[in-house]
Amino acid sequence: MNRFESVSRRRFLLTAGATAATSVLLKGCVGNPPETATNSQTSPAASPVISVKPGEEPEVKTVKLGYIPIVEAAPLIIAQEKGFFAKYGMSEVKVDKQANWGAARDNVKIGSGGGGIDGGQWQMPMPYLITEGLITDNTKIDMYVLCQLNTQGNGIALSNKHAGKNIGLKLDNQVALFNQLKASGTKFKAAYTFPKANQEFWIRYWLAAGGIDPDAEVELLTVPSSQTVADMKRGAMDAFSTGDPWPYRIVADKVGFLSALTAEIWKAHPEEYFALRKDWADKNPKATKAILKGIMEAQQWCDNFDNRKELAQILARREYFGVPEEVLFQPLMGKYDMGERTIDDKSMAVLYWKDSKGSVSYPYKSHDLWFLTESVRWGFLPKETLTTAKALIDRVNREDIWKEAAKEAGIAAADIPTSTSRGVEEFFDGIKFDPENPQAYLDSLKIKKA
Ligand code: CA
């Protein structure tokens, strides 16, 4: 029996696609030495094990996917690195780092045919805004939301100048501080990586829950995550909301502290998503499912905490995030030095496949509705959006394709949600969002524009 035959089928499936040949080529390109196996999760040198069933052969082998260097991107990077895309016949996937969210948007607008991308990682509700032409100069590019990449793994970092002022998850008695900053001409500045999406929503939710009107008491601005540490160091901002490793890095570099993790604001909250251009997915339906199968397998790999050391090593590499492995590894293990307190709880870490509410990967339509409702709350979208939201979500959210791919990949029935709604959601301040009645949620909020 050779070394490959000695590997059990189950293990083979879990670790398939060491893609050593591909990895060596890839590393050769960036001048790194070939990687040696670091632990038992790295399978021996082998070509990807192709697992394409008859009738499921993808129409094409290639697709160009964009990502932003934050932990949300891990399933795309791991599907590539571990050969999970190749396993399902997508052997020539290109996973491309995007300079920022605006660049990702511009690249999906032109598509891979124009030198851009076919889809990739998105904050919400970007795929909806692109579909409606709202952030693409009125050019409507239909998108399909196909899976959620992750939950949690995001946080709100504060500048050290606010240390010791009791600014944490709950902004009890902080209204006076914000008023005073405004009165003295140094309005509290809060930044995020792209406007009108997740990171802006998290910081707005956190402020408003604490009685601070983000539109009146705070100056909100957009800053790419890679600039955050420098900007906070030179005092250009008071707070920053983004994905790991950036909030954590602010603490590691001693320029600030973390006031809240998004996992504290809303446990198992919806975070970032995988979406493709509709024209690409419609033309290549089997390839779309093959990509999804690769992502799902990567999500299971990423969710295994035994793999997180290796995950940190891979993501830290210069061609991906280019950051010290340590600032990635700690938060990946749920170990957060918040600066003024510590959290050591794996259930608070970024999760990719399962969380306390069930499936992470499945794209719940009820979550898309929350993002659209929150957009209405802050006046980003008109009130009428709520009337037409269901039809729009039914067009953009293709959870049906996720389910087909999950079944083809042999995902256990128990891990495939039976409802497109996760039901009533509850936030840290006791506010509830019932997807059956988004207006009641808006009515229950004290600070809002709508
Ligand atoms: Ca994020």
Side-chain angles (χ1 to χ4, degrees):
M1 184 183 281
N2 69 30
R3 62 195 294 205
F4 298 121
E5 287 166 334
S6 70
V7 178
S8 76
R9 174 73 184 152
R10 166 107 184 114
R11 210 188 104 92
F12 214 42
L13 282 171
L14 284 171
T15 61
T19 63
T22 320
S23 291
V24 170
L25 281 175
L26 196 106
K27 279 175 220 315
C29 294
V30 295
N32 288 337
E35 192 175 52
T36 48
T38 48
N39 67 30
S40 61
Q41 290 298 327
T42 308
S43 52
S47 296
V49 179
I50 307 301
S51 171
V52 183
K53 291 178 205 145
E56 294 177 10
E57 300 89 349
E59 298 83 357
V60 290
K61 291 188 172 75
T62 185
V63 67
K64 221 166 146 191
L65 307 176
Y67 77 91
I68 299 289
I70 44 178
V71 292
E72 292 64 355
L76 300 179
I77 291 165
I78 290 302
Q80 179 79 326
E81 277 285 322
K82 291 283 168 187
F84 297 137
F85 284 139
K87 178 181 167 181
Y88 294 102
M90 297 301 291
S91 53
E92 292 163 34
V93 173
K94 292 187 182 76
V95 178
D96 267 20
K97 179 152 64 177
Q98 305 294 296
N100 51 54
W101 289 107
R105 171 205 54 200
D106 295 343
N107 280 330
V108 84
K109 186 181 168 186
I110 56 177
S112 63
I117 56 176
D118 302 300
Q121 170 195 354
W122 304 101
Q123 292 193 66
M124 272 295 190
M126 287 182 82
Y128 285 89
L129 302 177
I130 294 168
T131 295
E132 295 286 76
L134 296 172
I135 53 172
T136 41
D137 300 323
N138 293 320
T139 306
K140 295 184 176 186
I141 314 285
D142 283 335
M143 301 284 293
Y144 283 162
V145 167
L146 293 158
C147 83
Q148 179 171 243
L149 290 170
N150 72 299
T151 179
Q152 308 181 160
N154 284 245
I156 296 169
L158 262 76
S159 161
N160 264 344
K161 65 183 170 188
H162 296 301
K165 295 179 186 170
N166 194 28
I167 302 180
L169 175 63
K170 292 181 179 171
L171 290 167
D172 295 345
N173 309 317
Q174 296 299 340
V175 179
L177 170 70
F178 282 79
N179 285 338
Q180 181 202 323
L181 288 170
K182 189 183 171 186
S184 61
T186 53
K187 214 176 189 182
F188 189 91
K189 282 194 183 122
Y192 33 75
T193 48
F194 191 80
K196 302 175 184 179
N198 296 41
Q199 264 81 41
E200 181 171 355
F201 290 149
W202 302 145
I203 204 155
R204 278 177 173 269
Y205 194 98
W206 170 71
L207 289 164
I212 291 146
D213 184 340
D215 288 302
E217 306 295 325
V218 174
E219 184 183 338
L220 298 160
L221 62 160
T222 305
V223 175
S225 50
S226 51
Q227 284 179 25
T228 55
V229 177
D231 279 8
M232 209 169 249
K233 251 183 199 160
R234 65 183 177 84
M237 72 177 72
D238 297 278
F240 192 80
S241 162
T242 189
D244 288 325
W246 301 106
Y248 188 82
R249 220 182 151 177
I250 282 167
V251 178
D253 290 0
K254 302 201 186 319
V255 296
F257 63 99
L258 296 183
S259 62
L261 298 182
T262 53
E264 295 177 294
I265 294 171
W266 182 3
K267 189 108 190 210
H269 62 83
E271 185 52 29
E272 290 180 21
Y273 286 77
F274 174 69
L276 286 174
R277 285 175 62 114
K278 174 186 185 288
D279 56 4
W280 194 95
D282 284 350
K283 193 176 167 196
N284 305 293
K286 291 177 184 176
T288 298
K289 283 190 273 180
I291 296 164
L292 276 176
K293 285 180 251 181
I295 293 175
M296 288 179 195
E297 196 152 336
Q299 288 183 298
Q300 292 169 71
W301 189 92
C302 291
D303 233 19
N304 182 346
F305 280 84
D306 293 342
N307 291 335
R308 292 215 168 177
K309 184 76 182 166
E310 189 184 351
L311 177 59
Q313 286 166 350
I314 292 169
L315 297 181
R317 283 175 7 206
R318 195 174 45 181
E319 68 266 35
Y320 294 122
F321 295 6
V323 298
E325 182 189 319
E326 194 59 15
V327 300
L328 274 164
F329 183 57
Q330 295 297 328
L332 280 173
M333 297 307 285
K335 287 178 197 282
Y336 284 91
D337 176 358
M338 306 283 284
E340 299 192 331
R341 59 192 169 111
T342 56
I343 289 174
D344 186 358
D345 180 352
K346 289 191 176 81
S347 81
M348 302 298 278
V350 60
L351 300 172
Y352 297 99
W353 181 246
K354 276 188 184 180
D355 61 24
S356 55
K357 305 268 179 68
S359 179
V360 171
S361 179
Y362 176 76
Y364 284 100
K365 288 184 176 179
S366 59
H367 289 161
D368 295 12
L369 180 62
W370 180 81
F371 284 108
L372 295 179
T373 306
E374 200 70 357
S375 302
V376 171
R377 173 187 185 182
W378 297 118
F380 301 155
L381 291 174
K383 273 183 184 174
E384 299 70 52
T385 306
L386 291 187
T387 328
T388 53
K390 189 185 179 301
L392 178 63
I393 292 168
D394 285 345
R395 196 152 60 86
V396 175
N397 181 306
R398 294 300 306 270
E399 56 80 37
D400 55 318
I401 299 176
W402 185 96
K403 278 183 179 164
E404 282 177 30
K407 281 173 194 159
E408 287 182 10
I411 301 299
D415 292 342
I416 301 178
T418 52
S419 170
T420 61
S421 172
R422 202 173 72 170
V424 176
E425 306 283 347
E426 186 168 358
F427 298 79
F428 79 100
D429 57 343
I431 292 287
K432 289 190 173 130
F433 173 73
D434 180 355
E436 297 302 315
N437 192 354
Q439 188 60 49
Y441 165 79
L442 290 176
D443 293 344
S444 72
L445 297 161
K446 286 195 193 79
I447 296 176
K448 60 201 162 193
K449 272 199 157 176

